[in-house]
Amino acid sequence: MSHETGGRIGPVNPSTTGARVLLDELVRLGLREVVLCPGSRSAPLAYAAHDLEVAGRIRLHVRVDERSAAFLALGLAKTSRRPAAVITTSGTAVANLHPAVLEAHHGAVPLLLLTADRPPELRGIGANQATDQIGVYGEHVRLALELETPADPSRQAPAWRTAAARAVAAATGALGGTGTAGPVHLDLPYRDPLAPSGGDLAPSGGLPDPLLGRPDGAAWVALPEPATWTATPVAGPAALLAHDPDTLVVIGELPTAQHRAAALAWATHHGAPVIAEPGPGGSPLVLPHGDRILAAAHWVGEHLPSRVVVVGRPTLGRAVPALTRTPGLRVEVVTPGEPGAAGWADATHTAAAVHPFAALGVQGEGKEVTPFARTWLAAGERVAAALAPDARADADLDGPVTARVVHDALPEDSALFLGSSSVARDIAHGTAHVRDDVEIVTSRGLAGIDGCVSTAVGLALSRPGPTLALLGDLTFLHDANGLLIGPDEPRPDLTIVVVDDDGGSIFSTLEYGVAELEGPMRRLFTTPTGTDIELLCAAHGVPATTVTDAAGLAQLVSRPSTGIRVIRVPVDPGARRAAGQASRDAVVAALAD
């Protein structure tokens, strides 16, 4: 079989043709970012992706580490809400995607996993780099499909294009129902030959007429606009969440900024105070240092709400779970449809009612700020005043002060990516009110430290404005391979601020940090590495500098980066527990006045 491509005649290679058809259809459905890892079995996909980049239809990113590659794709899709694809060869490469798959699953990020595979006749016989890839990600993907091994492209092309539509629909949550955005796995078996030949080398990636798809670049299957891209609650009056003047709203991790905005709009409409995980303020009803207020158990006990509405999934600290366990307190949960065993977040098993996200719709005139809310807002002002000295401009740089300096110095319209562990809490403890012109982005689907450098790189590549990542040293080192970017690859403009306490000092704030357990603490939990971060960056050709004062840090952060740069901020690893206790004591004293 042959076809005419770019004026030349050449044979049709079933494997390379199948890969071209599939990627062509994914691009028609909105795919714009593809991350490729090197490999032999995935060669048909690699050539197809290269041709699409030459044609200006996608942007291609090549990475040597599959785990970092998957997190890069996650970062590219996280705020753009367009699915990004990662391509790997077979074998262990497939397993290396799993950490990012888990984060995308729990964080509702649209991700396409295109893993090349051996054809069926090479499985289970001891062939090299062959394992059972079917179902490898289990329930952590929205859809898993094994496509038919390319053999007769003219017959198989409609099925490949339909599979692409099913994959994008599942990854974006386009069909609504109980599904949300998340990862999708396409297992793609290819037989030799895996390299193009003759006319298959045409840069246009041309296909013969029977394989061209719908005319005018239309998708084979037209999909509806994904509801999760807009996150606009719509419900009839009877289904809306009722007003209660003594309601406290808790906003946890949510898939998109639009979800957060809708939750804040509901709270504002009902005049309810809000305790929220780091993100744009958007409402004067967001309490400063909210988890610190909740930790003042005596004051909270005297000013209990009658109802707590939890939107999304709280992930920072133990104060919210402690509140929801209060006897007699009514807890209602609003879910954006995140996956899980029961479909909503209720770690304390105290929820009395669960509502779909549409219940946050608002109708009619908004309510005045309630007396209950005024009491909590006044408490928030006292707490903000009490903690302000901890964030003075000339203070020593600890975690919260570093977070505040970075936050305040960011240029307008910046994105601030927060690593997991301490720095996500440092923003909440060091900053009373998050700026509305700063987009806070986190990966708290599972809140692991995996892949944070690569996720930040993807975020920076997916948006036009300045991007900064605030990471702990272990989080940074855990994904140092995220700095492995070849000379021909798109490079982000990204500043990475590393809060270096030589280990995981967050453990010192937990029960493991008490004095009687300090003997094995360092080796078993804080795990210091002694790595010279500046030398590590130099090995990757990434400029790095160490800053020890607030003024110097603010000056560097205020200037957007060209390319990747790293700012190391050394902090005292032994001070976090004592500083946290001092802050809690200050809050208790302020609320006792």
Side-chain angles (χ1 to χ4, degrees):
M1 180 179 180
S2 65
H3 68 82
E4 198 170 304
T5 305
R8 295 182 293 167
I9 302 295
V12 165
N13 176 332
S15 292
T16 56
T17 300
R20 280 180 172 165
V21 170
L22 177 67
L23 288 188
D24 172 74
E25 190 61 30
L26 288 174
V27 171
R28 292 173 184 237
L29 290 161
L31 179 68
R32 296 295 179 267
E33 306 279 4
V34 176
V35 184
L36 170 70
C37 299
S40 177
R41 189 59 52 171
S42 55
L45 293 163
Y47 284 111
H50 175 265
D51 287 348
L52 288 169
E53 183 186 52
V54 170
R57 299 179 67 194
I58 65 166
R59 182 166 58 166
L60 181 63
H61 313 264
V62 180
R63 294 296 188 272
V64 299
D65 183 320
E66 288 88 1
R67 188 183 71 168
S68 292
F71 278 105
L72 170 61
L74 185 141
L76 288 163
K78 189 165 185 63
T79 60
S80 71
R81 307 309 296 171
R82 285 185 175 274
V86 58
I87 295 172
T88 75
T89 190
S90 59
T92 59
V94 180
N96 284 326
L97 305 184
H98 212 147
V101 170
L102 290 171
E103 178 60 36
H105 166 65
H106 290 279
V109 178
L111 196 62
L112 298 175
L113 317 164
L114 310 182
T115 67
D117 200 354
R118 264 52 181 169
E121 65 270 17
L122 291 182
R123 300 177 198 165
I125 61 170
N128 190 34
Q129 290 190 344
T131 188
D132 186 3
Q133 296 181 195
I134 301 170
V136 67
Y137 303 117
E139 63 182 15
H140 300 131
V141 290
R142 301 295 181 271
L143 177 69
L145 292 176
E146 180 188 15
L147 272 62
E148 186 180 4
T149 305
D152 181 2
S154 296
R155 173 184 63 81
Q156 295 169 299
W160 293 333
R161 292 188 182 274
T162 299
R166 292 183 186 280
V168 171
T172 59
L175 299 182
T178 58
T180 59
V184 165
H185 180 208
L186 295 184
D187 186 85
L188 307 172
Y190 295 117
R191 291 189 179 95
D192 294 338
L194 302 172
S197 59
D200 288 339
L201 293 172
S204 66
L207 294 166
D209 286 344
L211 305 177
L212 282 178
R214 304 290 186 200
D216 301 322
W220 192 259
V221 179
L223 299 177
E225 183 76 6
T228 54
W229 287 5
T230 58
T232 302
V234 178
L240 295 180
L241 196 57
H243 177 71
D244 180 330
D246 294 338
T247 290
L248 175 68
V249 177
V250 173
I251 299 179
E253 174 73 2
L254 288 165
T256 70
Q258 291 80 10
H259 284 89
R260 181 183 176 92
L264 288 172
W266 185 90
T268 300
H269 185 82
H270 289 268
V274 178
I275 289 176
E277 296 197 2
S283 170
L285 293 172
V286 175
L287 297 165
H289 314 297
D291 65 328
R292 290 291 197 224
I293 297 174
L294 291 185
H298 181 73
W299 185 89
V300 172
E302 292 181 341
H303 302 87
L304 278 174
S306 61
R307 177 180 68 169
V308 174
V309 173
V310 180
V311 185
R313 184 164 46 86
T315 67
L316 296 178
R318 302 174 178 180
V320 170
L323 174 66
T324 58
R325 290 190 185 99
T326 303
L329 179 64
R330 181 174 177 82
V331 178
E332 300 187 28
V333 173
V334 176
T335 176
E338 294 180 24
W344 64 85
D346 180 23
T348 58
H349 311 293
T350 52
V354 178
H355 306 276
F357 200 76
L360 292 182
V362 296
Q363 291 185 347
E365 293 293 325
K367 309 292 184 182
E368 297 288 336
V369 175
T370 67
F372 169 79
R374 292 194 189 97
T375 298
W376 278 71
L377 290 170
E381 292 176 3
R382 296 201 298 274
V383 167
L387 296 184
D390 291 344
R392 63 189 186 277
D394 61 346
D396 293 334
L397 286 175
D398 62 5
V401 173
T402 299
R404 182 196 65 82
V405 172
V406 167
H407 167 270
D408 292 352
L410 282 170
E412 291 183 359
D413 300 321
S414 292
L416 176 58
F417 177 79
L418 300 178
S420 297
S421 198
S422 293
V423 296
R425 295 158 175 85
D426 287 341
I427 280 286
H429 297 161
T431 305
H433 297 286
V434 175
R435 291 164 50 183
D436 289 336
D437 63 341
V438 171
E439 182 182 14
I440 302 289
V441 183
T442 60
S443 277
R444 301 199 65 80
L446 283 185
I449 66 171
D450 315 54
C452 284
V453 173
S454 299
T455 303
V457 168
L459 175 66
L461 286 168
S462 71
R463 62 185 310 278
T467 303
L468 185 142
L470 183 63
L471 310 176
D473 59 297
L474 288 186
T475 299
F476 175 76
L477 294 172
H478 199 277
D479 190 30
N481 275 359
L483 301 178
L484 282 171
I485 303 176
D488 300 323
E489 303 310 311
R491 299 186 72 85
D493 295 330
L494 172 67
T495 297
I496 302 175
V497 176
V498 180
V499 182
D500 185 5
D501 55 11
D502 195 22
S505 66
I506 189 172
F507 289 106
S508 69
T509 68
L510 304 176
E511 54 267 37
Y512 325 110
V514 297
E516 56 266 31
L517 295 177
E518 64 182 1
M521 174 73 184
R522 178 178 167 86
R523 185 181 181 199
L524 299 183
F525 292 99
T526 59
T527 57
T529 67
T531 301
D532 188 321
I533 288 175
E534 289 193 44
L535 283 178
L536 174 66
C537 292
H540 292 286
V542 173
T545 186
T546 294
V547 177
T548 58
D549 63 282
L553 177 61
Q555 185 178 30
L556 285 173
V557 169
S558 65
R559 300 198 305 265
S561 175
T562 300
I564 301 178
R565 63 172 177 172
V566 172
I567 303 171
R568 171 181 170 265
V569 181
V571 301
D572 181 359
R576 187 175 289 277
R577 185 179 183 91
Q581 186 59 55
S583 293
R584 288 188 290 273
D585 292 343
V587 170
V588 170
L591 295 179
D593 293 342

